[in-house]
């Protein structure tokens, strides 16, 4: 395997992207991967469903949660053990705001049980686990898994909601404003936009979709606004104040359309 075989698609704002790229730099391994910064719908065509998104020879080989050490193993061509492939898949859904939103919007994991995400979650190119095997098991256990992970997905989406409010406000956001905005109709509007990709992943009848989950997220965000906002602020300020990291990501190639 050559360094050109391993590509990391990332976004500068992603905490795990920051951790992986910083870890690779400290290990002197950054030159062994190709870094591609997201910022185009071309990512959809390439099947990049979360960040960081690691491919080997174009095949999805890892995504969040992932560490710099694991990426170095991937670069070295070492065999990777994903553990329980279904649990690995669910953790990848949990760490993808897109996949979490689609799953909650539909009340099902079936719409996110796609080959690309299964391959990345199970580290298929280096584990030997077939994506189709993971997809089959997730679909078979859909109801059970969705019920088991539902609250985790809701909590993850609550953080994503506050993070995007923080971005939309230019960082000028206080806890009281978060509480004012965490109304069900606002959360529902955000979830529809987040989890539909236009109309590509929109439920058959979007009116009233995920109403119970929207109420849950709205109440949770309102109740924990101060803590969530502080977590997001610390995360984003820590990333964008890291000068060495920002130099690396600024020099990385950007993803553009063909």
């Amino acid at each position: 395997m050559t360094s050109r075989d391993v590509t990391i698609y990332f976004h500068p704002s992603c905490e795990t992207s920051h951790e992986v790229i910083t870890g690779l730099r400290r290990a002197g391994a950054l030159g062994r991967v190709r870094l591609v910064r997201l910022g185009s719908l071309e990512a959809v065509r390439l099947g990049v469903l979360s960040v960081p998104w690691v491919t080997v020879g174009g095949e999805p080989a890892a995504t969040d949660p992932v560490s710099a050490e694991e990426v170095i193993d991937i670069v070295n061509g070492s065999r990777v053990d994903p553990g329980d492939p279904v649990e690995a898949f669910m953790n990848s859904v949990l760490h993808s705001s897109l996949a979490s939103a689609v799953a909650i919007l539909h009340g099902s994991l079936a719409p996110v049980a796609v080959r690309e995400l299964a391959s990345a979650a199970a580290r298929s190119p280096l584990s030997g686990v077939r994506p189709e095997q993971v997809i089959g098991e997730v679909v078979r256990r859909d109801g059970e898994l969705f019920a088991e992970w539902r609250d985790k997905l809701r909590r993850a989406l609550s953080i994503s909601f506050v993070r995007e409010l923080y971005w939309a406000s230019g960082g000028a956001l206080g806890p009281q404003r978060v509480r004012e905005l965490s109304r069900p109709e606002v959360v529902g509007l955000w979830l529809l936009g987040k989890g539909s990709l236009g109309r590509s992943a929109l439920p058959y009848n979007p009116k009233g979709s995920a109403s119970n989950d929207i109420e849950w997220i709205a109440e949770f965000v309102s109740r924990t606004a101060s803590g969530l906002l502080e977590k997001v602020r610390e995360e984003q300020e820590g990333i964008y104040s890291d000068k060495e990291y920002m130099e690396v990501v600024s020099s990385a190639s950007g993803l553009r359309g063909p």
Side-chain angles (χ1 to χ4, degrees), residues 23 37 45 147 208 213:
R37 188 178 62 249
R45 187 184 72 82
D213 299 287

Side-chain angles (χ1 to χ4, degrees), residues 70 73 78-85 88 121-123 126-129:
E70 189 176 11
D73 284 343
S78 303
R79 184 172 180 81
V80 175
D81 180 7
D84 181 342
R123 315 306 196 236
L126 295 110
S127 69
V129 176

Side-chain angles (χ1 to χ4, degrees), residues 28-79:
L30 202 53
R32 302 180 65 193
V33 302
R34 175 175 173 248
L35 293 179
V36 179
R37 188 178 62 249
L38 296 190
S40 164
L41 282 176
E42 178 71 0
V44 177
R45 187 184 72 82
L46 294 172
V48 178
L49 300 177
S50 187
V51 285
W53 187 263
V54 183
T55 63
V56 174
E59 288 295 314
T63 190
D64 200 8
V66 64
S67 66
E69 291 75 17
E70 189 176 11
V71 174
I72 290 171
D73 284 343
I74 290 170
V75 170
N76 290 334
S78 303
R79 184 172 180 81

Side-chain angles (χ1 to χ4, degrees), residues 97-98 101-103 105-106 190-198 201-203:
S97 58
L98 172 60
V102 172
L105 196 57
H106 286 263
W190 171 81
L191 186 65
L192 281 168
K194 183 76 174 177
S196 62
L197 288 178
L202 198 65

Side-chain angles (χ1 to χ4, degrees), residues 84-87 89-90 108-119 121-122 124 129-145:
D84 181 342
V86 171
E87 184 172 355
F89 177 84
M90 291 305 303
S108 169
L109 297 166
V112 299
V114 296
R115 188 185 188 282
E116 291 83 1
L117 190 58
S119 178
S124 291
V129 176
R130 293 187 305 107
E132 294 77 14
Q133 170 191 339
V134 181
I135 291 169
E137 188 66 10
V138 168
V139 171
R140 185 182 70 81
R141 296 171 55 191
D142 187 6
E144 166 203 339
L145 289 169

